[in-house]
Amino acid sequence: MSRYDRWNAILELLSQEGRLSVEEAAQALDVSTATIRRDFDQLAQQQMLMRTRGGAVAQSVSYDLPLRYKTARHADEKHRIAVAAAELVPPGAIVGLNGGTTTSELARTLATSATLESGFTIVTNALNIAAELTVRQHVKIVVTGGVARPQSYELIGPLATGVLEQVTLDVAFLGVDALDVELGASAHHEGEASVNHLLISRAAQVVVVADSSKVGQRAFSRICPIGQIDTLVTDGRLSDELTGRLTDAGVKVIRA
């Protein structure tokens, strides 16, 4: 297990339990207590947890993990979601993408899609997506301005709105922290939610890409009501009950 995989596992355990001892973490991850102590210290330096005597506690209730630690979570589901979502994009389309692990996987899938080799455009506020796809000659990249948020690599703030107000999108793919039938789509950070709201307002079609663990949940700041979402692409573990409620709300659900 790599260091990042181990850190991700520790943060997952903390998000579930709220508190974790050195011995519990060492047993769960099958590593030495000395390794766990070093991991706790390094994560505390990055303000991802708070050290306590003999252990650690979660830093906050919202638990907004940095993107690099989220990558391994539900990886197989996110790949299937990306493949299914890519089928919704015709050649020459203008595509909006916000930041996140699922949209990053979708960006890679779009860039390597045989049906899109003739070219298409991506408008994004995600620095990692722009950096990764810039080398693809058939992909035109438009990046918003803004202030970079380290947790998600997204550009946020007033400078991000200038570009978005001047473009029109065929489809916007929205990664979310939570999706609820009553509340709609939401994010942990209000700055991300604001830019994401503007991004989807420029699109003819809005598609949420999220694994089933996000559905039925609520986060701090609302991006948009459920009525602004045309399609949800998720994994096959979404329950029939939630699928039915979303369908009744006018959302087409694709379970990959």
Side-chain angles (χ1 to χ4, degrees):
M1 180 182 288
S2 71
R3 181 178 62 174
Y4 278 163
D5 287 342
R6 196 170 61 246
W7 287 2
N8 185 71
I10 290 170
L11 294 171
E12 284 276 6
L13 289 170
L14 270 177
S15 68
Q16 296 167 9
E17 306 297 333
R19 179 180 296 273
L20 196 61
S21 70
V22 170
E23 289 75 16
E24 289 170 340
Q27 183 177 6
L29 302 184
D30 194 25
V31 296
S32 69
T33 55
T35 297
I36 293 298
R37 288 191 183 93
R38 286 195 298 271
D39 289 342
F40 278 2
D41 289 340
Q42 290 168 338
L43 287 169
Q45 289 173 4
Q46 299 182 54
Q47 299 184 338
M48 293 307 301
L49 54 75
M50 293 179 61
R51 284 291 264 129
T52 61
R53 184 177 179 84
V57 295
Q59 180 76 348
S60 66
V61 175
S62 64
Y63 227 78
D64 188 10
L65 302 183
L67 186 69
R68 62 186 179 277
Y69 302 135
K70 292 181 181 179
T71 303
R73 303 168 79 181
H74 310 289
D76 291 339
E77 290 90 340
K78 289 173 181 178
H79 177 70
R80 292 197 300 270
I81 290 168
V83 171
E87 295 178 358
L88 303 176
V89 180
I94 303 172
V95 179
L97 290 171
N98 70 333
T101 53
T102 307
T103 49
S104 296
E105 183 67 25
L106 173 56
R108 297 184 194 103
T109 304
L110 291 172
T112 56
S113 171
T115 61
L116 298 175
E117 288 180 347
S118 59
F120 65 100
T121 299
I122 284 182
V123 179
T124 185
N125 69 322
L127 290 172
N128 65 307
I129 291 176
E132 187 168 338
L133 268 59
T134 297
V135 297
R136 304 280 183 174
Q137 295 185 358
H138 67 293
V139 184
K140 179 180 179 180
I141 300 292
V142 179
V143 185
T144 70
V147 178
R149 186 165 184 260
Q151 284 85 348
S152 62
Y153 306 145
E154 286 189 83
L155 298 169
I156 61 174
L159 292 174
T161 65
V163 170
L164 292 176
E165 289 175 345
Q166 303 300 319
V167 300
T168 300
L169 309 174
D170 295 312
V171 56
F173 290 99
L174 183 67
V176 301
D177 290 316
L179 180 66
D180 179 77
V181 176
E182 283 77 29
L183 181 66
S186 53
H188 289 309
H189 191 273
E190 67 279 3
E192 290 182 6
S194 177
V195 173
N196 293 342
H197 176 77
L198 180 56
L199 177 75
I200 66 171
S201 74
R202 310 303 300 170
Q205 183 182 8
V206 176
V207 180
V208 169
V209 287
D211 64 73
S212 57
S213 69
K214 306 281 186 68
V215 184
Q217 305 297 317
R218 297 185 175 193
F220 172 69
S221 186
R222 188 164 83 160
I223 299 169
C224 68
I226 201 72
Q228 287 186 265
I229 299 168
D230 299 298
T231 305
L232 166 67
V233 184
T234 187
D235 60 76
R237 295 193 296 179
L238 184 68
S239 69
D240 291 337
E241 178 189 356
L242 283 173
T243 299
R245 292 180 63 196
L246 287 163
T247 301
D248 291 342
V251 178
K252 178 181 179 182
V253 179
I254 299 173
R255 293 192 285 190

